């Protein structure tokens, strides 16, 4: 299967959060088992995106923390939502060693910040890269590796 890709420029944190909510709604609906891999520099908007994404699962944005002391946060939603932040990981991160494989599964949607630090990727993956274009602008590229989610229809 061929990957599909969409590219979006957001002009405020609210727009990025709203984009996260749109993608989150799709994955809550039919993304159980999926992993969303976010990459991009500090301040690119990964956590802002996750706040919107989690809101689609019914999690209040304030419950999603960017303080990266919490490596793995688990929410008892259906499907279950797991938020992983690898900011504090030194060097390449191994899903096994971090215990992340224990979370990834058919009943779970897993969203991972700093996924560029992973040494391996799960199979069912959306990769999202965020880049700072100006103080308020972010270029966000969403790649559906297996073209499973038909995001074109969602995010345009
Ligand atoms: P990361 O998790 O990638 O390190 P955060 O989401 O914690 O980044 O922070 C992004 C910062 O950039 C926030 O302070 C936010 O207000 C600011 N910002 C400015 N413009 C945008 C935008 N278009 N999208 C997302 N965040 C933005
Ligand atoms: Mg963050």
């Amino acid at each position: 299967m061929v990957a599909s890709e969409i590219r979006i420029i957001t002009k405020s944190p609210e727009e990025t959060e709203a984009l996260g909510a749109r993608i989150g709604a799709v994955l809550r609906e039919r993304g159980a088992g999926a992993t969303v891999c976010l990459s991009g520099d500090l301040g690119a908007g990964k956590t802002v995106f996750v706040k919107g994404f989690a809101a689609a699962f019914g999690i209040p944005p304030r419950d999603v923390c960017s303080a990266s002391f919490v490596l793995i946060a688990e929410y008892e939603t259906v499907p279950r939502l797991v938020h992983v932040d690898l900011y504090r990981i030194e060097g390449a991160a191994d899903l096994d060693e971090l215990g992340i494989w224990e979370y990834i599964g058919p009943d779970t949607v897993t969203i991972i910040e700093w996924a560029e630090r992973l040494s391996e990727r799960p199979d069912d993956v959306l990769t999202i890269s965020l880049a700072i274009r100006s103080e308020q602008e972010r270029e966000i590229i969403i790649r559906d590796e297996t073209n499973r989610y038909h995001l074109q229809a969602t995010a345009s």
Side-chain angles (χ1 to χ4, degrees):
M1 233 189 290
V2 182
S4 64
E5 197 173 274
I6 47 181
R7 176 184 166 278
I8 293 151
I9 304 278
T10 64
K11 295 188 162 61
S12 67
E14 291 74 22
E15 279 186 36
T16 298
E17 195 170 328
L19 178 64
R22 286 214 295 276
I23 304 298
V26 174
L27 289 222
R28 189 185 57 125
E29 215 33 59
R30 47 198 171 84
T35 307
V36 180
C37 290
L38 300 175
S39 59
D41 291 340
L42 191 65
K46 298 179 294 297
T47 300
V48 167
F49 185 96
V50 176
K51 283 177 187 286
F53 192 92
F57 285 72
I59 305 298
R62 65 171 178 279
D63 288 359
V64 175
C65 39
S66 62
S68 305
F69 303 107
V70 181
L71 186 67
I72 299 176
E74 206 183 340
Y75 301 96
E76 293 307 324
T77 50
V78 180
R80 191 166 59 135
L81 178 65
V82 174
H83 174 205
V84 180
D85 191 330
L86 300 176
Y87 180 54
R88 304 220 162 240
I89 294 299
E90 310 263 334
D94 184 279
L95 286 172
D96 257 335
E97 278 171 32
L98 294 168
I100 295 173
W101 272 130
E102 292 167 30
Y103 291 90
I104 294 171
D107 304 324
T108 301
V109 173
T110 307
I111 187 162
I112 305 178
E113 291 189 53
W114 296 98
E116 59 268 62
R117 296 184 180 176
L118 290 175
S119 52
E120 55 181 334
R121 295 275 166 101
D123 289 334
D124 182 1
V125 155
L126 272 190
T127 50
I128 304 184
S129 67
L130 299 94
I132 301 175
R133 287 287 167 258
S134 69
E135 205 179 315
Q136 291 287 307
E137 283 188 334
R138 303 293 186 266
E139 181 182 11
I140 301 175
I141 297 171
I142 303 177
R143 207 176 139 81
D144 180 358
E145 300 293 349
T146 54
N147 202 8
R148 194 173 296 194
Y149 299 109
H150 309 291
L151 297 176
Q152 260 83 1
T154 320
S156 57

